[in-house]
Amino acid sequence: MTKDSTQQDLPAWFAETRKKGVSVAGNGLFTIFRIADLPLQYYLLSSGVGLKLVEKLGGRAVSNVVTSPVTKIGLSPYDSLVFGLAVGSAAKQIYWCLGVADNKFDPGFSTMIAAYNTVLNSVNTLLTLWAVSSNRPAVGDSWSTMFTTQPSIAVGAGLYGLGLFTEWWSEVQRKQFKQNPANKGKLCTKGLFGMARNINYGGYSLWRAGYSIICAGLPAGLGMFVFLAGDFSQRAIPLLETYLAKKYGEHWKEVKKKVPYKLIPYIY
């Protein structure tokens, strides 16, 4: 299969993202921007600017924000949890960029991916500060009451943990598979990738849904999951699988038979 035939009918930007190698500038920018997201989220939660921004956008800000520092990082337990979601996602994505990914992402693409995640995080943070959507506990804000009085927070935390682990571990397993010389020219169908061909995308959808549930309740989490799963199934997966079909030919047909699910095991 020639390079031209592999890339036929694929957008130029997508073909660029499939190139192997390391872009020092791209990886550096991605890492810097993902780290920079953390002080932004903390500032929105702690300074009162987030509350004012909600009001400037025409919304009514929550009135039960604990303003006095009650945890070691100077936030209420609930806001500390929300900030922790941003920390966990940044840590996972930076680890993926520097330690797992083998595609050469140019600075422009890396910046776009980092900005996309910052936008989603910021929307979630503002939803916690909007009275209509906020999922913060109405009575008390302690680690014990937070999960007992607001069960959806526990549901969101479970989905967040499951999704983040699924995305991280599937990518680690695939890297280990590729590093074995016996697997050269083969696609990974071992471990979690033996359950769904794009299970890393499924993991991303799950932890993003959990993130939104913690911030704005079950409807927001469902909406986030539908949005991401729809985008992956209608855009990202067709592009990727068109590329794989052209590159791997008969082997790709074998992979599809062995692993029939695209995104979520036993569902789709």
Side-chain angles (χ1 to χ4, degrees):
M1 191 74 65
T2 66
K3 179 179 178 180
D4 289 340
S5 61
T6 299
Q7 296 181 358
Q8 185 179 358
D9 301 327
L10 291 170
W13 66 264
F14 180 83
E16 286 295 317
T17 66
R18 308 317 302 172
K19 291 181 178 179
K20 304 300 180 184
V22 175
S23 169
V24 175
N27 288 0
L29 284 173
F30 182 84
T31 301
I32 290 170
F33 286 132
R34 291 305 291 123
I35 292 175
D37 176 62
L38 303 182
L40 171 62
Q41 303 310 320
Y42 185 89
Y43 182 67
L44 291 174
L45 288 166
S46 65
S47 67
V49 170
L51 294 168
K52 293 178 181 178
L53 183 56
V54 168
E55 293 174 344
K56 284 186 176 294
L57 292 172
R60 179 169 60 88
V62 294
S63 58
N64 62 329
V65 176
V66 176
T67 55
S68 60
V70 293
T71 67
K72 290 183 179 180
I73 63 172
L75 298 173
S76 72
Y78 175 75
D79 286 335
S80 296
L81 175 60
V82 171
F83 179 66
L85 302 177
V87 173
S89 63
K92 182 270 159 191
Q93 291 178 331
I94 292 171
Y95 174 82
W96 163 80
C97 177
L98 301 180
V100 178
D102 60 358
N103 291 346
K104 186 177 182 180
F105 296 126
D106 64 32
F109 188 74
S110 296
T111 300
M112 181 185 71
I113 297 299
Y116 174 73
N117 281 278
T118 291
V119 168
L120 292 184
N121 288 357
S122 299
V123 168
N124 278 325
T125 295
L126 292 177
L127 288 176
T128 71
L129 301 172
W130 183 27
V132 173
S133 60
S134 180
N135 200 33
R136 67 180 58 243
V139 180
D141 188 359
S142 66
W143 291 111
S144 58
T145 60
M146 181 164 52
F147 292 99
T148 56
T149 63
Q150 209 82 340
S152 60
I153 292 179
V155 173
L159 288 176
Y160 177 85
L162 175 63
L164 206 66
F165 174 81
T166 298
E167 186 184 22
W168 166 74
W169 186 237
S170 65
E171 292 167 344
V172 170
Q173 288 180 317
R174 182 171 59 185
K175 183 177 180 66
Q176 293 172 343
F177 178 88
K178 290 181 177 180
Q179 288 176 331
N180 186 341
N183 297 324
K184 185 176 182 179
K186 297 179 182 179
L187 290 166
C188 180
T189 57
K190 303 293 184 180
L192 292 176
F193 274 103
M195 300 177 68
R197 301 195 297 271
N198 303 279
I199 197 166
N200 54 330
Y201 292 167
Y204 182 85
S205 301
L206 283 179
W207 73 254
R208 273 292 173 198
Y211 197 139
S212 293
I213 289 173
I214 291 172
C215 293
L218 293 172
L222 178 60
M224 178 60 71
F225 182 81
V226 170
F227 166 71
L228 290 173
D231 180 57
F232 282 134
S233 62
Q234 300 301 312
R235 181 191 61 83
I237 290 177
L239 279 173
L240 177 59
E241 297 203 339
T242 296
Y243 169 84
L244 295 175
K246 291 177 178 295
K247 182 175 181 179
Y248 291 96
E250 291 300 318
H251 176 54
W252 173 243
K253 295 179 181 179
E254 296 172 2
V255 169
K256 290 179 68 176
K257 289 181 180 179
K258 186 174 182 180
V259 187
Y261 298 101
K262 295 182 180 181
L263 186 68
I264 305 293
Y266 310 111
I267 298 177
Y268 174 75

